[in-house]
Amino acid sequence: MNAAPVLLGYAGAVGVLAPRLLLRSAWPYRAPALAVASWLALSASFTVTVALAAYQLAAPTEHLHADLIGLLHSCGLTTGTGAPDPTVATRLAVVPPALVVLLVLGFFVLEVLRGRRTRSRHRKVLDLVGHRSARLGATVLDHELPAAYCLPGHRPRIVVSAGALRLLSAGQLDAVLAHERAHIAGRHHLALAAGMAFAKTFGPLPLARHGRQQTAVLLEMIADDRALRRQPREVLAAAMYDMAAGAAPAGAFAVGGPSALIRLRRLLTPQRRPHAALRGSVAVAAAAVPLIPLFLGCVHGIS
Amino acid sequence: MRRLGELEAEIMDRLWRWRRPATVREIVDDINKQRPLAYTTVNTVATILYNKGWLLRGKQGRAWVYSPIRTREQYSAALMEEALGASEDRPAALAHFVQQMSPEEVGALREALATADRQDGP
């Protein structure tokens, strides 16, 4: 039996139903790191599923059985059966699934390189124009608009504008710097690049669309939580508002979106982390979900 | 020797602060107030900055006179624009603390803060 229908059904569940479920759950904003891992695991699972389904559809039927024995063999699920001799057709059947995986990986590498190029260009100017402050561990930029950002990755930089230094209290500044340090230490740009690569490959798929947006918001929440280890929530919330109000353009055009509002509300209504049992089962599910398609592909071959 | 970037920054910093064209000799003399540095080194780095498009130069007698092409403020503004820019894929490269928001969105933030204050208060 061909496992393609089962795999495609599973792809539908992961690509359409799972993101709806995650969006409606309350726990992701309370355990943002786990939620990022879940979105990435779902994306990996979807990629593997589509690749396996493509393989099943591409493999010629008369060779399918031998293929699946081969697949099982490579899964280590059969004993005694020797690996079948691959024919030209079976070899060609590897091309579509390889393309699916290579597309996602290729977009990821492209995204990482593009970000690195942008940052390296930015950093070269920044190092000549800004003032390094050893006390802040940041580069100060002479500009009256309040802003703080970071260049993650290789040779990272944290940047604060002179306007932000004037605007923020010592505690607020400390919170903002801790937030930016968390982005750098957590290598958040790689998770963003992964979300971006998946979104570029699978475009309008709900998992791709929501995954990318949610990953961005959740990474900000992770950084917010790191800042909360050093400063009280009111201080971080006030810093967020002051920076947003100070940098708001005069015209009524929205650039940002509601992510800052979601973060602020989350800060102001503290919620406990989800129960350990929930966190544990989500972690197990996130680890298992990329492996399920392999299991489906293997098992449905024998019956 | 210090890294090239640091020397470049030292030279640019002086030219921006002085707000006038200067010769390599003037720059070397100023740096030498703090530490010894060879004239040829500064001359080389100034040429590099000229080739990179950071400095203009013209002959004054037998010496080159250097001046910044753009002000420090102009470069800062360009960096800020890039960092806070509206581009879709910018967040992946430069993670900034809060995105730019419309006045309506800032109003919603203010409301959320005010509500929290009232709940905390007596």
Side-chain angles (χ1 to χ4, degrees):
Chain A
M1 194 189 112
N2 195 319
V6 180
L7 286 168
L8 289 176
Y10 178 74
V14 168
V16 180
L17 298 182
R20 297 225 172 109
L21 203 68
L22 264 184
L23 280 178
R24 255 190 278 157
S25 308
W27 67 264
Y29 289 175
R30 293 196 271 151
L34 199 54
V36 169
S38 302
W39 284 106
L40 291 178
L42 285 173
S43 303
S45 184
F46 186 85
T47 308
V48 173
T49 309
V50 170
L52 282 180
Y55 178 71
Q56 297 275 338
L57 292 172
T61 324
E62 61 265 33
H63 295 290
L64 195 57
H65 184 67
D67 276 350
L68 285 161
I69 298 291
L71 186 63
L72 291 173
H73 192 79
S74 58
C75 295
L77 291 176
T78 53
T79 46
T81 331
D85 293 333
T87 63
V88 178
T90 50
R91 283 199 178 139
L92 280 179
V94 180
V95 172
L99 277 181
V100 173
V101 174
L102 285 179
L103 207 60
V104 178
L105 289 180
F107 274 132
F108 175 70
V109 170
L110 222 66
E111 207 57 55
V112 169
L113 290 181
R114 211 156 58 107
R116 190 178 289 181
R117 211 170 35 240
T118 305
R119 287 192 298 270
S120 147
R121 203 164 19 83
H122 195 97
R123 186 175 45 232
K124 275 182 192 138
V125 180
L126 180 74
D127 283 354
L128 287 196
V129 172
H131 309 271
R132 291 296 280 274
S133 163
R135 186 177 58 87
L136 300 174
T139 306
V140 179
L141 210 48
D142 267 331
H143 202 281
E144 74 284 356
L145 210 64
Y149 62 94
C150 68
L151 312 181
H154 179 59
R155 291 166 68 194
R157 298 277 186 280
I158 293 175
V159 186
V160 280
S161 67
L165 290 183
R166 261 194 298 279
L167 181 76
L168 299 175
S169 71
Q172 289 177 334
L173 180 63
D174 186 57
V176 170
L177 293 175
H179 174 104
E180 298 302 334
R181 279 198 302 272
H183 280 317
I184 292 171
R187 303 186 160 272
H188 290 174
H189 62 293
L190 294 180
L192 275 179
M196 208 88 97
F198 188 75
K200 281 206 167 144
T201 315
F202 295 107
L205 184 78
L207 175 62
R209 227 162 8 100
H210 296 305
R212 200 179 73 131
Q213 288 167 354
Q214 288 298 307
T215 304
V217 178
L218 289 163
L219 291 171
E220 293 299 331
M221 291 178 176
I222 294 172
D224 285 345
D225 288 352
R226 286 304 286 260
L228 289 183
R229 290 188 191 176
R230 298 175 58 96
Q231 295 292 333
R233 12 191 99 246
E234 305 77 51
V235 172
L236 181 58
M240 232 148 125
Y241 170 73
D242 287 348
M243 295 277 273
F253 59 95
V255 181
S259 107
L261 186 58
I262 296 170
R263 282 164 61 200
L264 193 78
R265 288 202 175 122
R266 174 176 177 272
L267 283 180
L268 296 172
T269 48
Q271 286 165 324
R272 272 192 295 159
R273 293 172 77 195
H275 193 271
L278 175 64
R279 292 208 312 273
S281 33
V282 170
V284 169
V289 95
L291 302 174
I292 292 174
L294 294 174
F295 176 75
L296 289 177
C298 290
V299 165
H300 277 269
I302 337 173
S303 49
Chain B
M1 201 189 104
R2 297 196 183 197
R3 288 203 8 255
L4 172 66
E6 286 175 46
L7 262 176
E8 289 181 338
E10 278 183 287
I11 294 172
M12 291 307 294
D13 184 54
R14 281 171 174 79
L15 290 171
W16 276 322
R17 268 194 288 120
W18 294 342
R19 296 183 180 276
R20 60 170 177 83
T23 61
V24 171
R25 174 47 63 196
E26 289 175 285
I27 299 168
V28 173
D29 287 348
D30 196 59
I31 293 177
N32 283 346
K33 284 176 193 165
Q34 291 154 13
R35 61 191 171 92
L37 191 65
Y39 177 90
T40 48
T41 309
V42 177
N43 194 37
T44 306
V45 178
T47 310
I48 290 172
L49 283 168
Y50 166 75
N51 287 329
K52 279 185 180 173
W54 284 80
L55 295 178
L56 284 172
R57 70 179 181 188
K59 274 272 182 184
Q60 193 181 72
R62 285 169 53 217
W64 289 111
V65 182
Y66 289 91
S67 56
I69 287 182
R70 296 206 276 164
T71 64
R72 183 173 229 155
E73 291 71 27
Q74 284 173 320
Y75 285 112
S76 299
L79 286 178
M80 289 280 283
E81 198 176 309
E82 186 174 55
L84 304 177
S87 166
E88 257 273 283
D89 46 50
R90 207 31 57 71
L94 312 161
H96 51 88
F97 181 60
V98 281
Q99 304 135 301
Q100 283 209 298
M101 279 177 269
S102 69
E104 287 77 26
E105 287 168 328
V106 174
L109 285 189
R110 184 167 46 239
E111 212 156 284
L113 262 182
T115 314
D117 279 347
R118 248 175 283 136
Q119 283 164 354
D120 289 346

